Amino acid sequence: MSCVVAQPALDVQAIRRDFPILSQRVNGKPLVFLDSAASSQKPTAVLEAMNHAYCTAYANVHRGVYALSEAATAAYDAARAKIAAFIGTPEPECIVFTRNATEALNLLAYSYGRAFLREGDEIIITELEHHANFVPWMVLARERGLTLKFIPIREDGLLDLEALDALITPRTRLVSFAHVSNVLGTITDPAPIVERAHAVGAVVVVDGSQSAPHMPVDVRAMDCDFFVFSGHKMLGPTGIGVLYGKRELLEAMPPFLTGGDMISYVGFDGVRWNDVPLKFEAGTPAFIEAIGLGAAVDYLQALGMSAVRAHEVEITSYALECISTLPGVRLFGPLDPNRRGGVVTFAVERIHPHDLASLLDQEGVAIRAGHHCAQPLHQRLGVNATARASFYIYTLPTEVDALVRAIERARVILRRA
Ligand SMILES: Cc1ncc(COP(=O)(O)O)c(C=O)c1O
């Protein structure tokens, strides 16, 4: 099988030259990195932007009245503005920097959840959530006597949005779901959920961890109330994530963490909070990482997010086509590449995913095995673990071929061909 596309969306060979790590060998074989859904690799532009900031404009932000601190603060603010534009909001103040998507979701559960949700209120999430969008709501529900409900998945891996009408009630206060599933790849159109949730006065949280890196996102068109994602999955460094919120909601919410930078006044008589977004950014922020994420956004925008998405559809279609021809392999998630992101999750009959991943590693092929931080979904699918290959802008069709060859070899080694 070969992947022939008349006009490829991206010049992947040129892109790969920007990622030094991809040229290395692992276990004597060329590295085939197929775990970008867990964390992506970084282009030199991001590494250089951070290095440049450390070498030329490093001093604590928002504190100094000297040139170096002002330069660092300006670079931090510029990164915030880039990230705002990247997800379609003209208001950089609506971008709160967090450590990652997990912290952004915890911020919402602690701040919004504990301030505005009351006993008997209902939260709706889905059966396919990552633990980051599951556990904070479960903990909140138990603590506050809330009801947690789940939008079911259908056999084809899409969400059963028909069920939403029965789940949503006047007590529904918050609906939170993954824009793209990290296991099934399922893309969920926010529009019908936002419409139904807003009709009963509930707020909508979109977990964009697997969508912001891979496709155009416009939070204003989406009309979601909150949108979260992590920098490290979209070419940026670790330790930086984003919470977008509508201004009036962020302004109404109490702080999550308290301390320096998030106050406008502290005295023996009390405190006054700073304006958003600083109200939610206690302590010295990860401003070098924010600058790195700004450079990642520049890199993605130069490629064009529509082209990034088109490449993902090409490579995912090819992977689905190749893997589905292998005997004894079960594929999970929607089979239509237009309805899924760039992850292909599968199980090989009578081979544990961890054994498979170890054998693939011998061939230089890095995939993820386990429950991918989505244990409830795996319970729902009736399996303990799965194998997952995930793709990004630097993935070549020949790497999908290497994956397929490595799976075939693993089957032979384990005498299950
Ligand atoms: C859909 C989804 N949500 C949330 C997260 C959590 O991201 P992080 O670990 O960067 O906080 C992930 C990470 O894999 C994810 O795939």
Side-chain angles (χ1 to χ4, degrees), residues 77-92:
D77 292 346
R80 197 189 301 276
K82 278 182 202 174
I83 290 152
F86 181 68
I87 60 164
T89 171
E91 297 181 286

Side-chain angles (χ1 to χ4, degrees), residues 27 101 128 152 213 290 308 390:
N27 292 324
L128 55 66
V308 169
S390 55

Side-chain angles (χ1 to χ4, degrees), residues 183 330 332 345-347 353 370-371 374-387:
V183 178
R330 175 180 171 196
F332 297 88
T345 292
F346 57 97
H371 52 60
Q375 261 185 311
L377 172 61
H378 280 75
Q379 281 167 14
R380 169 72 179 72
L381 296 171
V383 288
N384 289 326
T386 51

Side-chain angles (χ1 to χ4, degrees), residues 1-338:
M1 209 165 285
S2 72
C3 180
V4 181
V5 181
Q7 184 74 46
L10 295 178
D11 182 350
V12 179
Q13 291 292 5
I15 288 172
R16 288 175 72 85
R17 290 195 280 279
D18 295 333
F19 291 80
I21 201 169
L22 296 178
S23 56
Q24 69 179 274
R25 295 177 82 81
V26 169
N27 292 324
K29 307 278 166 52
L31 168 65
V32 174
F33 183 73
L34 300 179
D35 196 19
S36 292
S39 202
S40 76
Q41 299 299 346
K42 321 299 171 199
T44 41
V46 168
L47 308 176
E48 279 166 7
M50 293 171 69
N51 197 34
H52 181 75
Y54 273 125
C55 293
T56 63
Y58 185 81
N60 210 334
V61 290
H62 301 146
R63 310 241 164 118
V65 285
Y66 52 91
L68 221 47
S69 173
E70 281 168 6
T73 305
Y76 184 44
D77 292 346
R80 197 189 301 276
K82 278 182 202 174
I83 290 152
F86 181 68
I87 60 164
T89 171
E91 297 181 286
E93 305 77 33
C94 295
I95 300 294
V96 176
F97 283 121
T98 60
R99 275 191 305 141
N100 45 38
T102 302
E103 189 176 271
L105 289 161
N106 274 277
L107 188 162
L108 288 175
Y110 277 90
S111 171
Y112 188 90
R114 283 164 177 80
F116 298 117
L117 272 56
R118 303 273 170 273
E119 190 174 345
D121 284 346
E122 297 167 357
I123 293 177
I124 299 179
I125 60 172
T126 84
E127 288 182 342
L128 55 66
E129 297 311 312
H130 186 282
H131 296 162
N133 196 27
F134 194 108
V135 183
W137 306 122
M138 182 170 258
V139 169
L140 177 70
R142 292 202 170 150
E143 185 187 306
R144 292 294 161 107
L146 315 173
T147 304
L148 188 59
K149 295 177 171 178
F150 304 92
I151 304 175
I153 50 164
R154 308 189 318 199
E155 281 311 302
D156 61 4
L158 298 177
L159 286 182
D160 182 3
L161 292 183
E162 305 281 296
L164 196 53
D165 288 329
L167 291 172
I168 283 199
T169 76
R171 291 307 302 265
T172 305
R173 310 292 346 129
L174 186 144
V175 183
S176 187
F177 63 95
H179 199 186
V180 176
S181 159
N182 64 313
V183 178
L184 301 177
T186 311
I187 298 175
T188 296
D189 175 11
I193 302 182
V194 170
E195 192 191 317
R196 286 175 170 100
H198 284 174
V200 296
V203 295
V204 177
V205 181
V206 178
D207 176 358
S209 303
Q210 299 291 348
S211 63
H214 299 276
M215 58 183 66
V217 164
D218 185 335
V219 290
R220 275 207 303 179
M222 215 184 270
D223 196 25
C224 57
D225 299 288
F226 301 103
F227 187 92
V228 306
F229 57 100
S230 283
H232 68 92
K233 293 184 197 289
M234 48 183 285
L235 312 180
T238 53
I240 190 81
V242 172
L243 163 66
Y244 156 82
K246 283 184 179 163
R247 181 189 282 271
E248 63 277 15
L249 293 172
L250 292 176
E251 282 174 348
M253 284 160 55
F256 169 42
L257 300 172
T258 55
D261 239 21
M262 52 73 64
I263 42 78
S264 66
Y265 167 81
V266 190
F268 291 104
D269 53 341
V271 294
R272 265 197 317 275
W273 311 136
N274 213 333
D275 293 334
V276 293
L278 299 186
K279 178 172 74 172
F280 295 107
E281 295 180 5
T284 299
F287 58 95
I288 296 291
E289 288 72 13
I291 291 166
L293 181 55
V297 160
D298 286 342
Y299 189 95
L300 287 169
Q301 278 181 328
L303 297 176
M305 289 310 290
S306 298
V308 169
R309 172 67 187 145
H311 167 71
E312 179 169 283
V313 173
E314 281 165 22
I315 203 85
T316 308
S317 313
Y318 182 55
L320 288 170
E321 204 181 314
C322 295
I323 296 173
S324 63
T325 60
L326 295 173
V329 173
R330 175 180 171 196
L331 279 166
F332 297 88
L335 291 176
D336 178 355
N338 292 304

